Amino acid sequence: MPELPEVETIVRDLAPLLAGRTLHQPQLHKTDVLRGVSRRRLLRTLDGNRVDQLTRRAKHLVFLLGSGHRMVIQLRMTGSLVVHRRPLRAAERRYAVLEVGLGGADRLVFRDVRRLGTIHLLDERAWRAYTDRIGGEPLDADFDLARFRAALEGTTQAIKKVLMDQRRLAGVGNIYANEALFLAGVDPSRPANRLDADATARLLDAVRAVLHGAIGARGTTVRDYRTGTGQPGGYQFALHVYDRAGEPCVRCGTRLATTHAIDGRQTTFCWRCQGGPPAPGRGTADA
Ligand SMILES: [Zn+2]
């Protein structure tokens, strides 16, 4: 599932192609992606409307329209969003959910093989409620250590689960939670409220470093993710722990352990570098 760096990459690719463009002849091929908006209202709102801005909030793409509405797309597992500057091939149209003309041959296409993605259409008030439910953006200039500490406060849940909780912190999912915890040398299962000041500061630095690194590499493609130009990302070659179960730790050579004990998600870590209990056999590589 695309996390902050993948969605940011798509936004940076597509924003220059979309800003100021007028939308023509929107076509919706599947309605099960719609949330709180009818097909008719979506198509009527898009047709002839203008894209003022394409931005990101957490893992969501936000189209600010000339009418003041926001169309919010969540790509989830298998969604992709690409601007095609030529007529679509049959294979490209095959899983198209939404197609919108941009003038000339240019078309914006939201494809989703499994259709786990969603489309919201929000007015100003609905947008406020939507964005207020999401935590702070870790790459914002005003997101400081005090705000990070506040996001981790008052819960005994595992720090990894808390990092991925979108109500507390925006945009971090399983890949970057694993990577940041490794970089910071923090045990993923440690209760969030038991992190000391040093570890908290190291973790915020690590979260920022992995997110910036992944944006620089145009995201991580393990399976389905594609950039806004339809290419795979490059950060999969820079991963330290995610998707490396059973391989040696890049720092100390210990075999990386994997557990599904935290929220059912795959957690891969080095018990030597991250200070978990060094029980042999803990978290065998059962990825
Ligand atoms: Zn290690």
Short mmCIF file of all heavy atoms in Angstrom, two decimals, residues 98-146:
data_model
loop_
_atom_site.label_atom_id
_atom_site.label_comp_id
_atom_site.label_asym_id
_atom_site.label_seq_id
_atom_site.Cartn_x
_atom_site.Cartn_y
_atom_site.Cartn_z
N LEU A 98 -11.71 5.33 -13.00
CA LEU A 98 -12.10 6.70 -13.36
C LEU A 98 -11.16 7.19 -14.45
O LEU A 98 -9.94 7.03 -14.34
CB LEU A 98 -11.99 7.60 -12.13
CG LEU A 98 -12.30 9.09 -12.33
CD1 LEU A 98 -13.80 9.31 -12.60
CD2 LEU A 98 -11.85 9.91 -11.12
N GLU A 99 -11.73 7.75 -15.50
CA GLU A 99 -10.95 8.37 -16.57
C GLU A 99 -11.47 9.77 -16.77
O GLU A 99 -12.68 9.97 -16.86
CB GLU A 99 -11.18 7.65 -17.91
CG GLU A 99 -10.44 6.37 -18.12
CD GLU A 99 -10.72 5.85 -19.54
OE1 GLU A 99 -10.41 6.56 -20.51
OE2 GLU A 99 -11.27 4.74 -19.65
N VAL A 100 -10.55 10.74 -16.84
CA VAL A 100 -10.97 12.12 -17.04
C VAL A 100 -10.11 12.75 -18.13
O VAL A 100 -8.87 12.70 -18.06
CB VAL A 100 -10.83 12.94 -15.73
CG1 VAL A 100 -11.45 14.32 -15.92
CG2 VAL A 100 -11.48 12.24 -14.55
N GLY A 101 -10.76 13.36 -19.12
CA GLY A 101 -10.03 14.06 -20.17
C GLY A 101 -9.47 15.37 -19.65
O GLY A 101 -10.08 16.03 -18.79
N LEU A 102 -8.27 15.74 -20.16
CA LEU A 102 -7.61 16.98 -19.71
C LEU A 102 -7.42 17.94 -20.88
O LEU A 102 -6.68 18.91 -20.78
CB LEU A 102 -6.24 16.63 -19.11
CG LEU A 102 -6.24 15.70 -17.89
CD1 LEU A 102 -4.83 15.23 -17.58
CD2 LEU A 102 -6.85 16.41 -16.68
N GLY A 103 -8.07 17.66 -21.99
CA GLY A 103 -7.84 18.46 -23.20
C GLY A 103 -6.80 17.78 -24.06
O GLY A 103 -5.86 17.17 -23.53
N GLY A 104 -6.93 17.85 -25.37
CA GLY A 104 -6.03 17.13 -26.27
C GLY A 104 -6.16 15.63 -26.03
O GLY A 104 -7.24 15.14 -25.72
N ALA A 105 -5.02 14.93 -26.13
CA ALA A 105 -5.06 13.47 -25.93
C ALA A 105 -4.85 13.10 -24.47
O ALA A 105 -4.92 11.94 -24.10
CB ALA A 105 -3.99 12.81 -26.79
N ASP A 106 -4.55 14.10 -23.61
CA ASP A 106 -4.17 13.80 -22.22
C ASP A 106 -5.36 13.30 -21.41
O ASP A 106 -6.45 13.89 -21.45
CB ASP A 106 -3.61 15.06 -21.54
CG ASP A 106 -2.29 15.49 -22.15
OD1 ASP A 106 -1.86 14.87 -23.15
OD2 ASP A 106 -1.70 16.46 -21.63
N ARG A 107 -5.12 12.23 -20.67
CA ARG A 107 -6.17 11.66 -19.82
C ARG A 107 -5.59 11.27 -18.47
O ARG A 107 -4.52 10.67 -18.39
CB ARG A 107 -6.79 10.42 -20.47
CG ARG A 107 -7.60 10.72 -21.71
CD ARG A 107 -8.32 9.50 -22.23
NE ARG A 107 -9.57 9.24 -21.54
CZ ARG A 107 -10.64 10.00 -21.63
NH1 ARG A 107 -10.63 11.09 -22.36
NH2 ARG A 107 -11.75 9.67 -21.00
N LEU A 108 -6.34 11.62 -17.43
CA LEU A 108 -6.02 11.17 -16.08
C LEU A 108 -6.75 9.86 -15.85
O LEU A 108 -7.97 9.79 -16.05
CB LEU A 108 -6.47 12.22 -15.06
CG LEU A 108 -6.38 11.82 -13.58
CD1 LEU A 108 -4.92 11.72 -13.13
CD2 LEU A 108 -7.15 12.81 -12.71
N VAL A 109 -6.02 8.82 -15.43
CA VAL A 109 -6.64 7.50 -15.26
C VAL A 109 -6.33 6.95 -13.88
O VAL A 109 -5.17 6.83 -13.48
CB VAL A 109 -6.14 6.51 -16.34
CG1 VAL A 109 -6.82 5.15 -16.16
CG2 VAL A 109 -6.39 7.05 -17.74
N PHE A 110 -7.38 6.64 -13.13
CA PHE A 110 -7.27 5.93 -11.85
C PHE A 110 -7.62 4.48 -12.14
O PHE A 110 -8.74 4.17 -12.50
CB PHE A 110 -8.23 6.57 -10.83
CG PHE A 110 -8.39 5.81 -9.53
CD1 PHE A 110 -7.38 5.00 -9.01
CD2 PHE A 110 -9.58 5.93 -8.81
CE1 PHE A 110 -7.55 4.33 -7.81
CE2 PHE A 110 -9.75 5.25 -7.61
CZ PHE A 110 -8.74 4.45 -7.11
N ARG A 111 -6.60 3.60 -12.01
CA ARG A 111 -6.81 2.17 -12.22
C ARG A 111 -6.73 1.47 -10.88
O ARG A 111 -5.95 1.86 -10.02
CB ARG A 111 -5.70 1.56 -13.10
CG ARG A 111 -5.76 1.89 -14.55
CD ARG A 111 -4.56 1.28 -15.27
NE ARG A 111 -4.74 -0.10 -15.62
CZ ARG A 111 -3.89 -1.09 -15.30
NH1 ARG A 111 -2.84 -0.85 -14.57
NH2 ARG A 111 -4.13 -2.33 -15.68
N ASP A 112 -7.49 0.39 -10.73
CA ASP A 112 -7.44 -0.34 -9.47
C ASP A 112 -7.89 -1.78 -9.72
O ASP A 112 -9.08 -2.03 -9.89
CB ASP A 112 -8.31 0.35 -8.42
CG ASP A 112 -8.02 -0.17 -7.02
OD1 ASP A 112 -7.30 -1.19 -6.89
OD2 ASP A 112 -8.51 0.44 -6.05
N VAL A 113 -6.93 -2.70 -9.75
CA VAL A 113 -7.22 -4.10 -10.09
C VAL A 113 -8.21 -4.70 -9.10
O VAL A 113 -9.20 -5.31 -9.48
CB VAL A 113 -5.92 -4.93 -10.13
CG1 VAL A 113 -6.22 -6.40 -10.39
CG2 VAL A 113 -4.98 -4.39 -11.20
N ARG A 114 -7.91 -4.54 -7.81
CA ARG A 114 -8.78 -5.17 -6.79
C ARG A 114 -9.85 -4.22 -6.26
O ARG A 114 -10.69 -4.63 -5.46
CB ARG A 114 -7.91 -5.70 -5.65
CG ARG A 114 -7.09 -6.92 -6.08
CD ARG A 114 -6.11 -7.34 -5.02
NE ARG A 114 -6.77 -7.75 -3.78
CZ ARG A 114 -6.15 -7.93 -2.62
NH1 ARG A 114 -4.85 -7.72 -2.55
NH2 ARG A 114 -6.80 -8.30 -1.55
N ARG A 115 -9.78 -2.98 -6.65
CA ARG A 115 -10.77 -1.97 -6.25
C ARG A 115 -10.95 -1.87 -4.74
O ARG A 115 -12.05 -1.92 -4.21
CB ARG A 115 -12.10 -2.20 -6.94
CG ARG A 115 -12.01 -1.88 -8.43
CD ARG A 115 -13.31 -1.42 -9.00
NE ARG A 115 -14.39 -2.31 -8.73
CZ ARG A 115 -14.57 -3.47 -9.33
NH1 ARG A 115 -13.71 -3.87 -10.25
NH2 ARG A 115 -15.59 -4.21 -9.02
N LEU A 116 -9.79 -1.74 -4.05
CA LEU A 116 -9.82 -1.47 -2.62
C LEU A 116 -9.64 0.04 -2.38
O LEU A 116 -9.77 0.52 -1.27
CB LEU A 116 -8.70 -2.24 -1.92
CG LEU A 116 -8.81 -3.76 -2.08
CD1 LEU A 116 -7.52 -4.45 -1.65
CD2 LEU A 116 -9.99 -4.30 -1.29
N GLY A 117 -9.32 0.77 -3.44
CA GLY A 117 -9.17 2.22 -3.35
C GLY A 117 -10.53 2.89 -3.19
O GLY A 117 -11.58 2.25 -3.31
N THR A 118 -10.48 4.20 -2.87
CA THR A 118 -11.74 4.93 -2.65
C THR A 118 -11.66 6.34 -3.25
O THR A 118 -10.58 6.90 -3.43
CB THR A 118 -12.04 5.09 -1.14
OG1 THR A 118 -10.93 5.73 -0.51
CG2 THR A 118 -12.28 3.74 -0.48
N ILE A 119 -12.84 6.88 -3.56
CA ILE A 119 -12.97 8.27 -4.00
C ILE A 119 -13.99 8.97 -3.09
O ILE A 119 -15.12 8.49 -2.94
CB ILE A 119 -13.47 8.36 -5.46
CG1 ILE A 119 -12.49 7.66 -6.42
CG2 ILE A 119 -13.68 9.83 -5.87
CD1 ILE A 119 -12.99 7.63 -7.87
N HIS A 120 -13.56 10.07 -2.49
CA HIS A 120 -14.48 10.94 -1.75
C HIS A 120 -14.61 12.26 -2.51
O HIS A 120 -13.65 12.70 -3.15
CB HIS A 120 -13.92 11.29 -0.36
CG HIS A 120 -13.93 10.17 0.64
ND1 HIS A 120 -12.98 9.18 0.64
CD2 HIS A 120 -14.76 9.91 1.67
CE1 HIS A 120 -13.24 8.34 1.65
NE2 HIS A 120 -14.31 8.76 2.29
N LEU A 121 -15.76 12.89 -2.43
CA LEU A 121 -15.91 14.26 -2.92
C LEU A 121 -16.42 15.09 -1.75
O LEU A 121 -17.51 14.84 -1.22
CB LEU A 121 -16.91 14.31 -4.09
CG LEU A 121 -17.06 15.68 -4.72
CD1 LEU A 121 -15.80 16.07 -5.49
CD2 LEU A 121 -18.26 15.72 -5.67
N LEU A 122 -15.61 16.07 -1.32
CA LEU A 122 -15.90 16.77 -0.06
C LEU A 122 -16.02 18.27 -0.29
O LEU A 122 -15.21 18.86 -1.01
CB LEU A 122 -14.75 16.51 0.93
CG LEU A 122 -14.38 15.04 1.18
CD1 LEU A 122 -13.10 14.95 2.01
CD2 LEU A 122 -15.51 14.32 1.89
N ASP A 123 -17.03 18.89 0.36
CA ASP A 123 -17.05 20.36 0.38
C ASP A 123 -16.15 20.81 1.54
O ASP A 123 -15.57 19.99 2.25
CB ASP A 123 -18.49 20.90 0.49
CG ASP A 123 -19.19 20.46 1.77
OD1 ASP A 123 -18.50 20.03 2.72
OD2 ASP A 123 -20.43 20.52 1.81
N GLU A 124 -16.03 22.12 1.72
CA GLU A 124 -15.08 22.66 2.70
C GLU A 124 -15.31 22.08 4.10
O GLU A 124 -14.36 21.70 4.78
CB GLU A 124 -15.21 24.19 2.71
CG GLU A 124 -14.17 24.91 3.57
CD GLU A 124 -12.72 24.68 3.10
OE1 GLU A 124 -12.50 24.59 1.88
OE2 GLU A 124 -11.83 24.57 3.98
N ARG A 125 -16.56 21.99 4.49
CA ARG A 125 -16.87 21.54 5.85
C ARG A 125 -16.54 20.05 6.02
O ARG A 125 -15.93 19.64 7.01
CB ARG A 125 -18.36 21.80 6.13
CG ARG A 125 -18.69 21.74 7.58
CD ARG A 125 -20.03 22.39 7.89
NE ARG A 125 -20.69 21.58 8.90
CZ ARG A 125 -21.82 20.93 8.70
NH1 ARG A 125 -22.44 21.01 7.55
NH2 ARG A 125 -22.34 20.21 9.67
N ALA A 126 -16.90 19.26 5.02
CA ALA A 126 -16.62 17.82 5.08
C ALA A 126 -15.10 17.57 5.05
O ALA A 126 -14.59 16.67 5.71
CB ALA A 126 -17.30 17.10 3.93
N TRP A 127 -14.38 18.41 4.30
CA TRP A 127 -12.92 18.29 4.25
C TRP A 127 -12.30 18.56 5.63
O TRP A 127 -11.41 17.86 6.07
CB TRP A 127 -12.33 19.23 3.21
CG TRP A 127 -10.85 19.43 3.36
CD1 TRP A 127 -10.21 20.56 3.76
CD2 TRP A 127 -9.82 18.44 3.16
NE1 TRP A 127 -8.84 20.35 3.81
CE2 TRP A 127 -8.59 19.05 3.44
CE3 TRP A 127 -9.84 17.11 2.76
CZ2 TRP A 127 -7.38 18.37 3.35
CZ3 TRP A 127 -8.64 16.43 2.67
CH2 TRP A 127 -7.42 17.07 2.95
N ARG A 128 -12.79 19.61 6.31
CA ARG A 128 -12.30 19.92 7.67
C ARG A 128 -12.43 18.71 8.57
O ARG A 128 -11.51 18.32 9.27
CB ARG A 128 -13.12 21.07 8.28
CG ARG A 128 -12.68 22.45 7.90
CD ARG A 128 -11.34 22.80 8.53
NE ARG A 128 -10.47 23.29 7.48
CZ ARG A 128 -9.19 22.98 7.31
NH1 ARG A 128 -8.58 22.20 8.17
NH2 ARG A 128 -8.50 23.45 6.33
N ALA A 129 -13.62 18.10 8.55
CA ALA A 129 -13.86 16.94 9.41
C ALA A 129 -12.93 15.79 9.02
O ALA A 129 -12.39 15.09 9.88
CB ALA A 129 -15.33 16.51 9.30
N TYR A 130 -12.72 15.62 7.70
CA TYR A 130 -11.87 14.53 7.19
C TYR A 130 -10.43 14.71 7.66
O TYR A 130 -9.81 13.80 8.21
CB TYR A 130 -11.95 14.55 5.66
CG TYR A 130 -11.32 13.39 4.94
CD1 TYR A 130 -12.08 12.29 4.55
CD2 TYR A 130 -9.96 13.40 4.60
CE1 TYR A 130 -11.51 11.23 3.86
CE2 TYR A 130 -9.39 12.34 3.92
CZ TYR A 130 -10.16 11.26 3.54
OH TYR A 130 -9.59 10.22 2.86
N THR A 131 -9.90 15.90 7.45
CA THR A 131 -8.48 16.13 7.74
C THR A 131 -8.23 16.22 9.25
O THR A 131 -7.17 15.86 9.74
CB THR A 131 -7.94 17.36 6.98
OG1 THR A 131 -6.52 17.41 7.13
CG2 THR A 131 -8.54 18.66 7.46
N ASP A 132 -9.24 16.67 10.00
CA ASP A 132 -9.07 16.77 11.46
C ASP A 132 -8.96 15.41 12.13
O ASP A 132 -8.48 15.31 13.26
CB ASP A 132 -10.24 17.54 12.08
CG ASP A 132 -10.10 19.04 11.83
OD1 ASP A 132 -9.04 19.47 11.33
OD2 ASP A 132 -11.07 19.78 12.13
N ARG A 133 -9.42 14.38 11.46
CA ARG A 133 -9.33 13.03 12.05
C ARG A 133 -7.93 12.42 11.87
O ARG A 133 -7.65 11.37 12.41
CB ARG A 133 -10.36 12.09 11.40
CG ARG A 133 -11.78 12.33 11.87
CD ARG A 133 -12.69 11.16 11.46
NE ARG A 133 -12.81 11.03 10.02
CZ ARG A 133 -13.76 11.61 9.29
NH1 ARG A 133 -14.67 12.37 9.89
NH2 ARG A 133 -13.83 11.44 8.00
N ILE A 134 -7.08 13.07 11.06
CA ILE A 134 -5.75 12.53 10.76
C ILE A 134 -4.70 13.29 11.57
O ILE A 134 -4.81 14.50 11.77
CB ILE A 134 -5.44 12.67 9.24
CG1 ILE A 134 -6.57 12.04 8.42
CG2 ILE A 134 -4.10 12.02 8.91
CD1 ILE A 134 -6.45 12.29 6.92
N GLY A 135 -3.67 12.57 12.03
CA GLY A 135 -2.61 13.17 12.83
C GLY A 135 -1.71 14.10 12.03
O GLY A 135 -1.91 14.34 10.84
N GLY A 136 -0.66 14.62 12.69
CA GLY A 136 0.23 15.60 12.08
C GLY A 136 1.11 14.99 11.00
O GLY A 136 1.37 13.78 10.99
N GLU A 137 1.57 15.86 10.10
CA GLU A 137 2.45 15.44 9.00
C GLU A 137 3.90 15.49 9.47
O GLU A 137 4.43 16.58 9.76
CB GLU A 137 2.28 16.39 7.80
CG GLU A 137 0.94 16.31 7.12
CD GLU A 137 0.82 15.08 6.20
OE1 GLU A 137 1.88 14.49 5.84
OE2 GLU A 137 -0.31 14.71 5.88
N PRO A 138 4.58 14.34 9.52
CA PRO A 138 5.93 14.32 10.09
C PRO A 138 6.96 15.16 9.31
O PRO A 138 7.99 15.51 9.87
CB PRO A 138 6.31 12.83 10.07
CG PRO A 138 5.35 12.18 9.12
CD PRO A 138 4.11 13.00 9.14
N LEU A 139 6.69 15.47 8.06
CA LEU A 139 7.66 16.27 7.29
C LEU A 139 7.34 17.76 7.29
O LEU A 139 8.09 18.56 6.73
CB LEU A 139 7.76 15.76 5.84
CG LEU A 139 8.25 14.32 5.68
CD1 LEU A 139 8.43 13.97 4.21
CD2 LEU A 139 9.54 14.08 6.45
N ASP A 140 6.22 18.14 7.93
CA ASP A 140 5.91 19.57 8.01
C ASP A 140 6.96 20.28 8.87
O ASP A 140 7.44 19.74 9.86
CB ASP A 140 4.53 19.79 8.65
CG ASP A 140 3.42 19.68 7.61
OD1 ASP A 140 3.74 19.38 6.44
OD2 ASP A 140 2.25 19.86 7.98
N ALA A 141 7.27 21.53 8.49
CA ALA A 141 8.31 22.30 9.20
C ALA A 141 7.95 22.49 10.67
O ALA A 141 8.83 22.53 11.53
CB ALA A 141 8.50 23.65 8.52
N ASP A 142 6.66 22.58 10.99
CA ASP A 142 6.28 22.85 12.38
C ASP A 142 6.02 21.56 13.18
O ASP A 142 5.56 21.61 14.30
CB ASP A 142 5.06 23.78 12.43
CG ASP A 142 3.83 23.16 11.80
OD1 ASP A 142 3.97 22.09 11.15
OD2 ASP A 142 2.74 23.73 11.95
N PHE A 143 6.32 20.42 12.57
CA PHE A 143 6.16 19.17 13.32
C PHE A 143 7.46 18.91 14.09
O PHE A 143 8.41 18.34 13.58
CB PHE A 143 5.83 18.00 12.38
CG PHE A 143 5.37 16.77 13.13
CD1 PHE A 143 4.03 16.59 13.44
CD2 PHE A 143 6.28 15.82 13.55
CE1 PHE A 143 3.60 15.47 14.16
CE2 PHE A 143 5.87 14.70 14.28
CZ PHE A 143 4.54 14.53 14.57
N ASP A 144 7.48 19.35 15.35
CA ASP A 144 8.70 19.25 16.14
C ASP A 144 8.61 18.10 17.13
O ASP A 144 7.65 17.34 17.15
CB ASP A 144 8.99 20.59 16.84
CG ASP A 144 7.82 21.03 17.70
OD1 ASP A 144 6.88 20.22 17.92
OD2 ASP A 144 7.82 22.19 18.17
N LEU A 145 9.65 18.00 17.95
CA LEU A 145 9.73 16.91 18.91
C LEU A 145 8.56 16.93 19.89
O LEU A 145 8.04 15.89 20.28
CB LEU A 145 11.08 16.99 19.64
CG LEU A 145 11.47 15.80 20.52
CD1 LEU A 145 11.40 14.48 19.75
CD2 LEU A 145 12.86 16.02 21.10
N ALA A 146 8.13 18.13 20.27
CA ALA A 146 7.00 18.23 21.21
C ALA A 146 5.74 17.63 20.59
O ALA A 146 4.97 16.92 21.26
CB ALA A 146 6.77 19.69 21.58
#
